[in-house]
Amino acid sequence: MFKSLRTLFRPELVLTRSSSSYVTRMRHLMKLKEDDGACLEALRSGHLLLYHWLAPLLQKAPATASTPGLFQLPAINTSDFEGVLDKLGKSRALVNEAVLIACTEQHEAQFSLDVGVLDKSEVERLCGGAFIDLRKAFFLLRGPEAPLVARGQALLRWHQTHGFCSASGHPTFRNQSGSQRVCHSSGQTYYPKMAPVVITLISDGTQCLLGRQATFPRGMYSALAGFCDMGETIEETLRREVAEEVGLELDSWRVSGTQHWPFPQSSFMVACHATVTPGNTQVSLNHEELEDARWFSLQEIEEALRLKKPPRNPEGETPTLWVPPSYAIAHQLVQEWVQQQRSAAR
């Protein structure tokens, strides 16, 4: 039977933090969000993550035997980037358009800034990096940097698409940190929002079900996902999406975790494991939703997880199965299922 909402989050998953450092850092971040003067001062001594039309700037990371070919996010001092603007003959006022995304353990503020108005190649040359599409960047960055670059892009995108009030049609204006936008005509205040999405990995006990959309790169399969309809619970969304996409009725489910995901706009992913009975595995594919969905064995999934980057998959050849990058919560679901299968076999 389906579990009640009170069992969604297990006690052992509760995180513990050093109260003194975490609370102090969060209150400092809150002050910067609410105090324009303090935020502007923090910007002067802060770090910038640069984007060019929402593609983040990455630099080659020092290669090691265990991490060859990885990239890193360059933390560019505001003063250094103002020097870049001087060399390009552009106004330093562009820096003020940066939005606050986080602060380090040392309370150094971190901002994201889109420099799409500047010449891409010149910025890359002067900053010693390359602007790379965010989806590709997820395969190139180390774990802790991926959520940061995703958050920065999501906030920039939100500001770029919320320049006008839905009530009055008049322009909206952001505060210094970028944590909100206000319409002075209607008095309406807008805050960045995420759309809730349920993503689930279905198992019959020995296999797992993965699907792909036509827009996916060749060979890539992922867990099934769908947006919550207005007024739905997580359970209702989960059951409806699975029924709509693959024609299966679930037997049980549990929540594994959550994640912000910047695509297609900004989504709040609720990741679940679900099961069907072994006799209830016949897939009835909805081709309007998915291009394909199929059951995969443990061996097939383990081989897919060994791939550290997307395979070439030339046209005309049978594509190699691969799964989303390690940062994606779909990848986490697949990893957890493999661990469950291995444990059950012992």
Side-chain angles (χ1 to χ4, degrees), residues 94-121:
L94 177 63
V95 169
N96 295 333
E97 297 179 16
V99 296
L100 178 69
I101 53 175
C103 70
T104 67
E105 295 285 349
Q106 294 73 38
H107 290 194
E108 296 170 333
Q110 297 169 296
F111 296 81
S112 61
L113 175 66
D114 197 293
V115 296
V117 296
L118 303 180
D119 182 89
K120 179 182 175 181
S121 60

Side-chain angles (χ1 to χ4, degrees), residues 4 27 52 59-60 70 78 95 134 160 164 170 193 195 220 222 230-231 280 288 307 313 317 333 337:
S4 65
R27 289 187 172 176
H52 195 277
Q59 288 179 342
K60 276 274 193 179
L70 284 182
T78 299
V95 169
L134 184 60
Q160 292 174 6
F164 295 89
H170 291 170
K193 291 181 173 62
M220 193 186 90
S222 184
M230 185 64 71
N280 182 30
E288 293 184 1
L307 299 174
N313 281 336
E317 297 182 11
L333 287 172
W337 181 80

Side-chain angles (χ1 to χ4, degrees), residues 183-257:
C183 174
H184 298 313
S185 176
S186 66
Q188 184 75 32
T189 300
Y190 296 91
Y191 299 95
K193 291 181 173 62
M194 297 186 291
V197 175
V198 174
I199 180 168
T200 182
L201 187 69
I202 305 170
S203 175
D204 69 348
T206 61
Q207 306 173 98
C208 72
L209 183 71
L210 299 177
R212 60 171 279 109
Q213 298 177 358
T215 56
F216 284 7
R218 292 191 76 237
M220 193 186 90
Y221 282 73
S222 184
L224 305 184
F227 288 94
C228 296
D229 279 349
M230 185 64 71
E232 278 189 330
T233 64
I234 294 173
E235 175 184 339
E236 289 168 339
T237 300
L238 178 63
R239 299 183 70 182
R240 173 183 56 77
E241 283 291 337
V242 172
E244 288 178 352
E245 294 186 354
V246 293
L248 294 177
E249 187 167 346
L250 299 178
D251 180 56
S252 65
W253 69 289
R254 65 178 177 85
V255 170
S256 171

